């Protein structure tokens, strides 16, 4: 799989230009290509390197939308969860969850059982064969499953099954391969500097290759902006159709975990229509470690990463579940990214959106040729992509087939684990990342073509030695001169922040 050059992208007009290579951009390019459209996909940095890198790694089946009384969203999530399990069985696994229940009111087992029955009824025929319904267990069984983490006075447990993404970076890669395999031309480190216009109509974009500095213009019948928080600026948009954004944080902590995930109730108020008394955080096992999330904070300045969010998040977890005993030094990796949300000054002032935004600028502003997409979950990325290309098809002046994306599996890519202390295995993984997976920089390889940073393998003195071997092997394979080595190392160390300490 080779990166498309600027010339590849600009040589001929295309039907659809997709800007932004997160999960929504990847799935949009895939959907368009599967319909036989000519497609270009460009990403300013690396595929999946922005908000899509920030993930609790859960494919939600929709049970949480009972709280929001959103049955449509529930049904869509159940169907899409089943799609992902079929399409990428090497990267998605079923995972059982349990939340503690208290008393006999809205937080109790009776209320949860009613919600579980409604969920089973609403999602009947949509859930995959590996995903049952939901129900309750008694207090003794709930305490047995939670062990030392069981809170006092629980009266039962609510149980259900969701999907877990074993490696979000590999899932992004599978989606990229699916798009390219269907005919899309794709390039990372290719920036859309500005949209091109012919009167009111958007007719493509001006691109800058960030690896070479070259610029060129691409012509497209429809441009789909999947650039998240940057979509408004790119479209030069105003008005109420644009959502606000908050910064979401998930952390990987050095706690071995097996079996099920579980929920803990924080002191922050929930944003659900049926308020169970506090915001729910989830603690999930992942690669022999634990992921905890999701914490949300206002981001009025649009900054996607702020280490200052971690300390209050950990304090909230400590109050909600002291038995976890998470210390700052236990944090192996911090995921952060901007998500659509309403932000106000009240208690629990972030109210995350449960639905993504799809803006057809022809209908909204009389600007044909531009569609903006802002997603909220991995789970519904395929569905929103299909709707975006349905909207694009209405502006393309020739017949466009319906989407086959729901029935088309993703190319298998596997987890590709690597032993950082095996020089030959490490060199092979680096070579594959550059030659077969469109990695262009050292940061691409270390952060998104291996799990080493996320799993804490680059921490401390041992991690620093591994990182040096990574750098040396990559530089040797790519023939980097001394100056290029220095710049690649500096960019990687900046991206890693304090993780190697």
């Amino acid at each position: 799989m080779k990166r498309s050059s600027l010339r590849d992208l600009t040589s001929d007009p295309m039907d659809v230009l997709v800007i932004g290579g997160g999960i929504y951009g990847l799935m949009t390019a895939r959907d368009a290509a599967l319909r036989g459209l000519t497609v270009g996909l460009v990403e300013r940095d690396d595929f999946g390197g922005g908000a899509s890198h920030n993930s609790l790694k859960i494919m939600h089946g929709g049970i949480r939308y009972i709280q929001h009384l959103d049955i449509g969203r529930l049904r869509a999530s159940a169907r899409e969860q089943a799609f992902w399990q079929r399409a990428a069985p090497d990267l998605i696994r079923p995972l059982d969850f349990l939340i503690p229940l208290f008393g006999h009111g809205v937080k109790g087992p009776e209320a949860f059982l009613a919600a579980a029955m409604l969920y089973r009824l609403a999602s009947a025929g949509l859930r995959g064969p590996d995903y049952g319904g939901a129900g309750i267990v008694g207090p003794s069984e709930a305490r047995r499953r939670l062990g030392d983490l069981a809170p006092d006075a629980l009266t039962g447990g609510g149980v259900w099954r969701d999907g877990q993404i074993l490696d979000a970076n590999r899932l992004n890669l599978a989606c990229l391969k699916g798009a390219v395999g269907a005919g899309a031309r794709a390039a990372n480190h290719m920036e859309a500097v500005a949209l091109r216009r012919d009167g009111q109509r958007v007719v493509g974009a001006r691109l800058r290759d960030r690896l070479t500095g070259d610029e060129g213009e691409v012509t497209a019948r429809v441009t789909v902006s999947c650039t998240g928080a940057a979509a408004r600026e790119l479209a030069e948009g105003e008005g109420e159709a644009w959502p606000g954004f908050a910064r979401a944080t998930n952390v990987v902590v050095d706690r071995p975990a097996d079996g099920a995930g579980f929920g803990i109730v924080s002191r922050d108020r929930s944003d659900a229509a049926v308020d169970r008394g506090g915001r729910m955080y989830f603690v999930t096992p992942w690669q022999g470690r634990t992921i905890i999330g999701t914490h949300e904070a206002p981001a009025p300045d649009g900054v996607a990463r702020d280490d200052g969010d971690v300390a209050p998040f950990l304090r909230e977890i400590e109050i909600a579940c002291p038995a976890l005993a998470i210390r700052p030094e236990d944090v192996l990796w911090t995921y952060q990214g901007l998500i659509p949300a309403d932000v106000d000054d009240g208690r629990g002032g972030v109210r995350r959106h449960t639905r993504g935004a799809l803006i057809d600028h022809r209908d909204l502003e009389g600007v044909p040729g531009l569609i903006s997409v802002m997603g909220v979950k991995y789970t519904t990325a395929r569905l929103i992509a299909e709707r975006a290309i349905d909207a694009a098809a209405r502006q393309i002046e020739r017949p466009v087939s319906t989407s086959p994306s729901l029935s088309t599996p993703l190319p298998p890519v596997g987890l590709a684990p690597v032993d950082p202390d095996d020089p030959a295995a490490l060199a092979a993984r680096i070579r594959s990342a550059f030659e077969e997976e469109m990695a262009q920089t050292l940061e691409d390889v270390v952060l998104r073509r291996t799990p080493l940073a996320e799993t804490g393998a680059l921490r401390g003195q041992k991690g620093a030695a591994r990182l040096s071997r990574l750098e040396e092997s990559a530089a040797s394979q790519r023939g980097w001169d001394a100056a290029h080595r220095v710049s690649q190392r500096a960019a990687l160390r900046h991206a890693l922040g304090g993780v190697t300490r």
Side-chain angles (χ1 to χ4, degrees), residues 113-294:
L113 181 59
M117 293 174 64
L118 178 56
Y119 174 70
R120 292 199 297 267
L121 180 65
S123 61
L126 298 173
R127 302 188 305 272
D130 296 316
Y131 296 90
I136 59 171
V137 296
S140 296
E141 177 64 11
R143 288 193 184 94
R144 185 190 70 80
R145 295 191 189 188
L146 291 170
D148 294 340
L149 302 179
D152 296 333
L154 64 84
T155 55
V159 295
W160 72 95
R161 178 172 284 185
D162 266 333
Q164 183 178 50
I165 305 171
L166 299 177
D167 189 325
N169 292 323
R170 302 301 293 177
L171 186 62
N172 289 327
L173 178 65
C175 296
L176 173 63
K177 286 196 168 187
V180 172
R185 288 168 277 176
N188 48 358
H189 304 281
M190 186 74 70
E191 181 178 8
V193 179
L195 298 177
R196 294 179 57 229
R197 299 176 187 266
D198 181 1
Q200 285 290 97
R201 175 179 289 275
V202 172
V203 294
R206 183 162 188 81
L207 305 181
R208 177 186 298 126
D209 188 329
R210 301 185 72 206
L211 301 180
T212 66
D214 295 336
E215 294 194 7
E217 292 185 342
V218 58
T219 299
R221 291 181 173 87
V222 179
T223 298
V224 184
S225 170
C226 298
T227 52
R232 181 172 185 166
E233 181 180 358
L234 182 66
E236 300 176 354
E238 302 293 340
E240 297 180 357
W242 297 94
F245 284 83
R247 189 168 45 250
T249 300
N250 299 285
V251 293
V252 181
V253 297
D254 191 12
R255 288 287 186 280
D258 295 307
F262 64 92
I264 55 177
V265 181
S266 79
R267 63 182 178 181
D268 281 347
R269 302 302 295 177
S270 169
D271 64 2
V274 180
D275 188 356
R276 300 187 64 255
R279 183 177 296 278
M280 186 72 69
Y281 291 131
F282 287 93
V283 180
T284 62
W286 178 72
Q287 302 225 12
R289 294 150 187 86
T290 296
I291 301 180
I292 306 176
T294 299

Side-chain angles (χ1 to χ4, degrees), residues 32-93:
L34 285 171
R35 300 193 200 202
L37 298 173
T38 54
V39 184
L41 168 65
V42 296
E43 160 58 40
R44 182 184 185 277
D45 296 306
D46 188 24
F47 297 113
S52 293
H53 184 68
N54 172 39
S55 173
L56 190 58
K57 297 178 173 57
I58 301 301
M59 285 294 186
H60 299 284
I63 190 170
R64 64 175 53 193
Y65 299 117
I66 292 290
Q67 292 185 85
H68 298 273
L69 305 179
D70 191 345
I71 302 303
R73 178 72 164 167
L74 181 158
R75 289 177 58 81
S77 295
R79 182 183 60 248
E80 295 304 311
Q81 180 190 68
F83 156 75
W84 287 107
Q85 187 67 62
R86 292 192 310 271
D90 56 333
L91 298 173
I92 312 291
R93 69 162 183 169

